[in-house]
Amino acid sequence: MIPARYQASRFPAKLMQDLGGKPVIVRTYEAAVNTGLFDDVYVVTDSPIISDVIQGIGGKVIMSKRTHESGSDRIAEAVEDMDVDVVINVQGDEPFIDAASLGKIIQVFKNDTEKEIDLGSLMTPITDWEEISNPNTVKVIVDNQDFALYFSRSPIPYPRDKEVEATYYKHKGVYVFRKRALMDFQKLPMLPLEAKEKIEAIRFLEYGKKIKMVETHVTGIEIDTPEDLERARKVWK
């Protein structure tokens, strides 16, 4: 499922910007299909503009019936009546999908025979302090089994002791849900930590859900700003 809003707050209409001759959302959709990892791929949107462009390439679209605060809420509505076990949320602004990393996280669920994991996601190590301190970069800290402890826009862990080595991880916007966890998500009201940080993954932690993080060293490019788009265009070339 690829949630796709037309009016993104930081960069309106970014999903319809040109990337190598096609809109960003088309590039993302095609990349998801081309991984060969999924039984089906849909764009979930409230925008007739996005719907038309995806249907124009023969893609599958689900139109949202309600207004949603987050991509996860949007997807929950879309899969409510679908007979599925696991739902993967690929962000519409990530056209450089890494199939190997997605394959790893899907395997985590195949191996989880007791169905203890509610949610899986990706993280990548970062070392540049400017990126670590950038509030647009969501950071995550994990326990010794790579279950998420917390997500933040602030640098975590805070480097009070400069002598202690710590790895900083950037949270990549890919979620893999058990359907039941996703359906719970839309019914649970937003609590203060999620409201303060504006990070939807925090809602799962606040309600005691288990999020398994998988490390990847493929950074890709998330298109959050016009500058990101320019970088993406250079990489695409």
Side-chain angles (χ1 to χ4, degrees):
M1 292 286 171
I2 306 173
R5 286 176 63 234
Y6 185 78
Q7 288 297 345
S9 55
R10 287 195 295 269
F11 187 4
K14 67 179 180 180
L15 297 183
M16 291 301 298
Q17 299 297 314
D18 180 78
L19 179 59
K22 295 182 182 181
V24 169
I25 187 62
V26 170
R27 291 296 188 192
T28 302
Y29 179 83
E30 290 178 340
V33 171
N34 290 340
T35 64
L37 293 169
F38 309 115
D39 294 325
D40 234 331
V41 179
Y42 296 87
V43 170
V44 190
T45 186
D46 56 1
S47 166
I49 296 171
I50 290 175
S51 175
D52 287 349
V53 76
I54 294 299
Q55 289 183 328
I57 61 163
K60 297 183 179 182
V61 178
I62 297 173
M63 290 294 291
S64 299
K65 299 183 183 75
R66 302 188 293 272
T67 301
H68 298 287
E69 286 292 319
S70 72
S72 298
D73 287 314
R74 190 178 300 283
I75 290 172
E77 181 200 291
V79 302
E80 195 165 9
D81 298 321
M82 286 188 180
D83 181 20
V84 296
D85 301 308
V86 173
V87 182
I88 294 90
N89 173 350
V90 174
Q91 303 286 23
D93 59 4
E94 292 208 17
F96 300 96
I97 291 173
D98 171 36
S101 299
L102 275 175
K104 277 188 199 174
I105 201 169
I106 291 169
Q107 192 60 45
V108 163
F109 280 79
K110 289 181 176 178
N111 295 341
D112 181 31
T113 53
E114 300 299 315
K115 298 189 176 179
E116 295 175 336
I117 298 169
D118 299 296
L119 177 64
S121 197
L122 295 173
M123 61 183 183
T124 184
I126 50 176
T127 55
D128 178 61
W129 187 252
E130 188 174 331
E131 185 174 21
I132 292 167
S133 56
N134 185 340
N136 288 329
T137 300
V138 175
K139 277 71 65 176
V140 60
I141 48 175
V142 295
D143 67 13
N144 62 359
Q145 295 183 338
D146 286 337
F147 283 100
L149 295 172
Y150 192 60
F151 300 86
S152 183
R153 297 183 182 278
S154 298
I156 50 173
Y158 181 78
R160 180 173 178 180
D161 190 334
K162 301 289 193 295
E163 302 303 313
V164 176
E165 289 293 324
T167 302
Y168 288 86
Y169 288 104
K170 175 182 181 178
H171 178 218
K172 291 178 65 66
V174 172
Y175 297 104
V176 182
F177 305 94
R178 290 209 182 279
K179 184 182 175 182
R180 64 155 194 264
L182 184 56
M183 302 321 296
D184 286 346
F185 180 88
Q186 68 168 348
K187 296 170 189 167
L188 299 170
M190 188 184 296
L191 294 177
L193 290 177
E194 180 193 1
K196 193 76 172 173
E197 295 254 23
K198 294 291 186 288
I199 301 170
E200 61 192 86
I202 293 175
R203 191 185 313 180
F204 289 93
L205 296 181
E206 289 188 272
Y207 283 101
K209 303 288 188 186
K210 297 185 76 171
I211 304 178
K212 182 77 167 182
M213 302 300 298
V214 173
E215 184 174 338
T216 174
H217 292 269
V218 179
T219 55
I221 297 174
E222 298 156 23
I223 301 173
D224 285 324
T225 66
E227 292 76 23
D228 293 335
L229 179 61
E230 285 309 311
R231 285 197 302 127
R233 285 170 173 164
K234 287 175 185 172
V235 170
W236 198 269
K237 284 179 182 176

